[in-house]
Amino acid sequence: MFNMILFGPPGSGKGTQSENIVEKYGLVHLSTGNLLREEIANKTPLGTEAKNFMDKGQLVPDEVVIGMIDNSLEHHKDATGFLFDGFPRTVAQAEALDKLLSLKKSEISLVLALEVSEEELVKRLLNRGKTSGRSDDTDEAVIRKRFTVYTNETEPVAGHYRQLKKFNSIKGEGSVDEIFGAIKNVIDKRMRHPII
Ligand code: B4P
């Protein structure tokens, strides 16, 4: 199996590039953000709870997102690999993911981070907020709060995978095609030289 994590701050292009990666490499796309927004759209109790956190720019509790990922892995037993987008966002989520995969005799093959400056991120998210209807993208204070949460809770996940020698990063600014070209180089290299 080839399992990768697309990593980076809110608005760095994870959702955008995930579409390209999934199409080219046939991985199953698991985006916790999309799964949570589906729960909200379906007005489930989980969605109602999650919306309270998301609208404030906070993370949804670990046990909620870990449970969602566990269910999704079970639903795709025949997958040849997974692309995790926006997950894990805390070290506890990363440890839980490593455990879930090891139960399936698998592991993370690659973590790839997209690096984008904060000013560019704010511009992209406010721009998306104009058309997406996403309530977490319309208020600059909420966007800035998401960056603080990212620095405090999510950045340490990079250290977790750096220690395991699985962490790589590329510049996430430029055209979508240019960035996808750089992503393909890293993935192809890792597929040729897996970490054993
Ligand atoms: P997510 O849905 O993961 O969203 P995101 O981080 O805001 O955005 P993403 O990075 O995917 O956006 P993209 O760059 O594609 O999370 C939303 C919320 O859900 C979180 O704040 C949290 O509350 C909750 N949540 C999700 N997962 C969780 C977890 N594991 N644990 C706890 N809580 C969780 O797109 C951004 C914009 O940039 C788009 O408009 C796009 O068109 C544009 N763009 C992309 N690439 C570009 C480029 N190269 N140049 C210019 N613009 C570009």
Side-chain angles (χ1 to χ4, degrees):
M1 276 182 108
F2 186 85
N3 300 310
M4 73 173 278
I5 295 170
L6 196 56
F7 192 78
S12 53
K14 302 184 297 287
T16 306
Q17 296 296 343
S18 286
E19 288 177 24
N20 292 332
I21 297 171
V22 164
E23 194 187 327
K24 167 135 179 76
Y25 296 98
L27 304 176
V28 172
H29 182 202
L30 294 184
S31 155
T32 39
N34 289 350
L35 291 169
L36 289 167
R37 281 185 289 278
E38 256 171 51
E39 297 281 344
I40 294 172
N42 293 330
K43 299 193 165 47
T44 66
L46 192 157
T48 309
E49 189 197 349
K51 191 172 188 314
N52 278 324
F53 292 98
M54 291 165 79
D55 282 353
K56 291 185 200 130
Q58 294 168 351
L59 294 181
V60 174
D62 285 339
E63 58 276 17
V64 174
V65 277
I66 292 166
M68 280 187 341
I69 288 289
D70 193 6
N71 282 339
S72 303
L73 292 176
E74 282 302 306
H75 272 122
H76 297 280
K77 282 205 160 86
D78 299 329
T80 55
F82 291 94
L83 169 63
F84 298 96
D85 160 12
F87 178 89
R89 263 177 154 95
T90 63
V91 171
Q93 291 180 19
E95 288 170 352
L97 176 62
D98 293 349
K99 222 174 266 168
L100 286 173
L101 290 174
S102 81
L103 287 173
K104 296 176 193 314
K105 310 236 173 319
S106 190
E107 63 180 337
I108 290 297
S109 318
L110 169 68
V111 180
L112 182 52
L114 300 173
E115 287 178 349
V116 180
S117 72
E118 188 164 322
E119 287 328 297
E120 168 72 13
L121 294 171
V122 174
K123 215 166 63 191
R124 287 186 191 179
L125 291 174
L126 285 173
N127 209 22
R128 181 171 69 183
K130 285 182 202 151
T131 52
S132 69
R134 276 181 56 168
S135 45
D136 56 345
D137 281 347
T138 39
D139 182 343
E140 188 166 337
V142 171
I143 292 174
R144 299 265 178 205
K145 165 78 185 164
R146 283 155 68 195
F147 295 149
T148 308
V149 169
Y150 178 79
T151 304
N152 295 337
E153 300 188 47
T154 306
E155 264 181 8
V157 173
H160 173 83
Y161 287 109
R162 218 175 251 127
Q163 267 182 355
L164 300 171
K165 304 206 180 331
K166 295 182 174 182
F167 188 84
N168 288 258
S169 62
I170 58 163
K171 194 162 161 269
E173 292 185 44
S175 76
V176 171
D177 286 349
E178 277 165 5
I179 297 164
F180 185 51
I183 290 175
K184 280 190 292 191
N185 286 341
V186 178
I187 296 178
D188 291 345
K189 206 162 143 198
R190 179 52 52 86
M191 283 182 163
R192 282 197 303 273
H193 304 287
I195 297 171
I196 313 166

